[in-house]
């Protein structure tokens, strides 16, 4: 059986609060845009690697294959994390929050262990400084001192997914 054939056909209907909060059936609540937010952390360290979004198909494929799949809002398409870079995310555990409207993936990352298309280990490679100037935007500080890989070496001329 191929992973595509083993993808669950549907999720449980959301019938009662008790079923959603205490039941054993997965009944995710996708937003009006058809997406559910997904926090992804390193399974060994607990470090937050990224925030992504999943549609039903991405969640179904993730469950079926144990590899992280997401919905790219900028590219408007399904994508398997690492398909272009080789930095795949092997899912160790999938958790759903209390009202089933957010997903948490605990993953092991292949290759350099980086998850950010900019080349850093985590997509959260900067922090916001408290206090900040009163006459301009808040300031950022880098929390990672170096990149795990050079994006040009990994992605070549592929368009940057960041949208202005």
């Amino acid at each position: 059986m191929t992973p595509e054939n083993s993808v669950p056909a549907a999720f449980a209907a959301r019938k009662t609060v008790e079923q959603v909060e205490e039941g054993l059936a997965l009944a995710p609540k996708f937003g009006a845009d058809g997406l559910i937010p997904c926090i992804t952390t390193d399974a060994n360290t607990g470090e937050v690697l990224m925030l992504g979004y999943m549609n039903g198909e991405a969640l179904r494929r993730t469950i079926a294959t144990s590899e992280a799949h997401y919905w790219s809002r900028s590219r408007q398409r399904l994508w398997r994390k690492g398909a272009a870079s080789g930095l795949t995310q092997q899912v160790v555990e999938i958790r759903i929050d209390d009202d089933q409207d957010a997903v948490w993936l605990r993953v092991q990352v292949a290759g350099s262990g980086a998850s950010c298309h900019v080349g850093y280990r985590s997509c959260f490679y900067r922090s916001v400084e408290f206090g900040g100037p009163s006459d301009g935007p808040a300031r950022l500080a880098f929390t990672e001192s170096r990149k795990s890989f050079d994006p040009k070496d990994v992605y070549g001329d592929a368009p940057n997914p960041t949208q202005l």
Side-chain angles (χ1 to χ4, degrees):
M1 180 183 296
T2 65
E4 291 76 23
N5 294 338
S6 64
V7 174
F11 302 111
R14 296 170 64 87
K15 296 180 181 177
T16 67
V17 170
E18 292 77 15
Q19 171 242 356
V20 169
E21 292 182 345
E22 302 284 342
L24 298 179
L26 180 59
K29 182 176 183 182
F30 296 92
D33 57 2
L35 303 176
I36 191 168
C38 176
I39 294 288
T40 303
T41 62
D42 183 288
N44 298 320
T45 67
E47 177 183 21
V48 175
L49 298 175
M50 59 180 278
L51 166 68
Y53 294 88
M54 295 179 155
N55 64 1
E57 183 64 16
L59 182 54
R60 284 189 283 273
R61 285 183 187 240
T62 299
I63 293 167
T65 66
S66 299
E67 285 192 341
H69 289 73
Y70 301 94
W71 177 259
S72 172
R73 295 183 305 162
S74 60
R75 293 174 274 182
Q76 289 294 295
R77 67 176 177 84
L78 184 73
W79 59 287
R80 181 177 59 88
K81 182 68 173 159
S85 66
L87 304 172
T88 58
Q89 294 177 345
Q90 186 66 41
V91 179
V92 173
E93 183 180 35
I94 303 172
R95 292 194 186 188
I96 191 95
D97 75 333
D98 54 355
D99 57 352
Q100 297 197 39
D101 67 353
V103 175
W104 172 17
L105 299 182
R106 294 181 56 241
V107 303
Q108 293 177 330
V109 182
S112 67
S115 285
C116 181
H117 76 275
V118 178
Y120 293 98
R121 173 152 173 71
S122 168
C123 292
F124 294 91
Y125 54 88
R126 294 174 290 181
S127 64
V128 179
E129 294 180 353
F130 289 107
S134 59
D135 60 345
R139 301 228 352 124
L140 300 176
F142 280 84
T143 57
E144 292 187 35
S145 60
R146 64 191 237 302
K147 293 185 177 186
S148 296
F149 67 90
D150 183 344
K152 289 201 182 296
D153 292 342
V154 171
Y155 299 109
D157 293 332
N160 189 318
T162 300
Q163 302 292 310
L164 298 182

